[in-house]
Amino acid sequence: MKVLIVEDDPLHRSYLHEAVCAALPECDTVIEAENGTAGERLARDHKSAHIVMDLQMASRNGIEAARTIWKERPETRILFWSNYSDEAYVRGVSRIVPDGAAYGYVLKSASDERLKLALRSIFVESQCVIDREVRGLQQKSLGQTNGFTDSEYEILVDIALGLTDRAIARRRNLSLRSVQNRLQQLYDKLDVYQTAGDDHEDGRFNLRARAVTVALLRKLLNYSALERAETELQEWLESGR
């Protein structure tokens, strides 16, 4: 078995290397990459089927690297190992996992034994392993609790990108009224009216800007999510649709 570690922190790479060797005695080769770009290249060169992936890296983040790797080899098993359980990261991972893929999302705060168990469960037994905290956010992101539906989240991202109601309607194939209704649902779920108080009525608060601010503070959006969204927006604009 070959295992590819994609992690930009040298100490964390070393820790993962030891954990992989301890948890997987059948592993005879451990390959290391210092960022997502190198990870994509090494995964392609070595046809890596087992990968441990950090999420936040300076040069190409883990979500983008995993998206490329899964597009080329959807059977690849990936364990995401991260400091972050932000909904933006959790939603980003959920959007790219191929049907039937064995993968995991374990926080770096997890115990050594928890990490080793995840490595064996995913790479040997083909089971999915998701930390409880992350699983709760996944359920919210899928609309199973009082979170955002995918369509509501798309509109949140669109207003963060600066699109008007009419542009959102065109991009998402919605009526203008549907966009405005979903904006109201967003404002309600983000408590925008409550945080703005009566000031939104006299023009001192822009509700769209306030919604984006609240979403950032609640970690529903982050730099990686917006960077990816900007790329998708430019592709849409270039397509002329």
Side-chain angles (χ1 to χ4, degrees):
M1 177 189 292
K2 293 181 181 179
V3 175
L4 170 61
I5 295 171
V6 186
E7 165 65 65
D8 60 351
D9 186 309
L11 292 178
H12 286 175
R13 280 203 307 274
S14 177
Y15 169 76
L16 283 173
H17 193 130
E18 293 178 3
V20 166
C21 291
L24 302 167
E26 52 269 82
C27 175
D28 53 17
T29 305
V30 178
I31 309 158
E32 297 184 7
E34 69 277 9
N35 56 55
T37 302
E40 289 178 20
R41 176 176 53 79
L42 289 172
R44 190 176 298 114
D45 291 347
H46 293 273
K47 296 181 172 57
S48 302
H50 310 89
I51 300 174
V52 185
M53 180 85 71
D54 188 16
L55 281 176
Q56 189 174 52
M57 293 178 283
S59 178
R60 197 150 176 84
N61 65 61
I63 291 175
E64 293 304 318
R67 185 201 302 270
T68 299
I69 291 167
W70 267 328
K71 184 176 181 180
E72 296 177 0
R73 296 174 60 86
E75 71 279 8
T76 304
R77 301 172 188 177
I78 300 178
L79 169 57
F80 295 99
W81 189 60
S82 176
N83 280 319
Y84 303 97
S85 59
D86 301 5
E87 185 169 340
Y89 281 119
V90 174
R91 187 181 288 270
V93 169
S94 298
R95 287 178 61 191
I96 65 171
V97 178
D99 291 340
Y103 80 103
Y105 194 134
V106 174
L107 297 176
K108 291 184 178 181
S109 57
S111 67
D112 293 351
E113 289 307 310
R114 172 67 173 168
L115 175 59
K116 292 174 184 176
L117 176 62
L119 287 165
R120 288 207 63 81
S121 297
I122 298 164
F123 294 162
V124 177
E125 300 170 11
S126 299
Q127 297 180 1
C128 293
V129 178
I130 313 295
D131 270 0
R132 181 179 300 177
E133 181 179 349
V134 174
R135 185 173 295 279
L137 287 171
Q138 275 187 332
Q139 291 172 346
K140 284 183 63 178
S141 73
L142 293 173
Q144 296 173 6
T145 61
N146 191 29
F148 297 101
T149 64
D150 284 344
S151 59
E152 289 169 346
Y153 189 79
E154 286 175 348
I155 289 180
L156 173 62
V157 171
D158 283 344
I159 65 173
L161 293 172
L163 295 182
T164 64
D165 289 1
R166 291 188 182 280
I168 295 172
R170 180 183 171 193
R171 186 183 187 195
R172 303 300 178 185
N173 295 315
L174 297 170
S175 68
L176 186 59
R177 176 62 61 86
S178 292
V179 171
Q180 292 167 344
N181 287 340
R182 291 179 192 186
L183 276 172
Q184 296 306 312
Q185 293 168 354
L186 270 179
Y187 296 157
D188 286 337
K189 289 184 177 182
L190 289 169
D191 294 326
V192 169
Y193 294 119
Q194 181 177 342
T195 57
D198 295 332
D199 291 336
H200 76 276
E201 296 179 355
D202 62 16
R204 279 187 282 179
F205 271 95
N206 179 296
L207 294 180
R208 298 167 82 92
R210 187 64 185 162
V212 172
T213 299
V214 173
L216 288 168
L217 290 173
R218 292 189 185 179
K219 300 181 179 179
L220 301 171
L221 295 172
N222 59 22
Y223 176 83
S224 296
L226 292 176
E227 183 180 42
R228 182 172 64 254
E230 177 66 22
T231 298
E232 293 172 353
L233 174 63
Q234 294 304 319
E235 292 173 351
W236 176 72
L237 291 172
E238 290 171 4
S239 71
R241 288 179 291 184

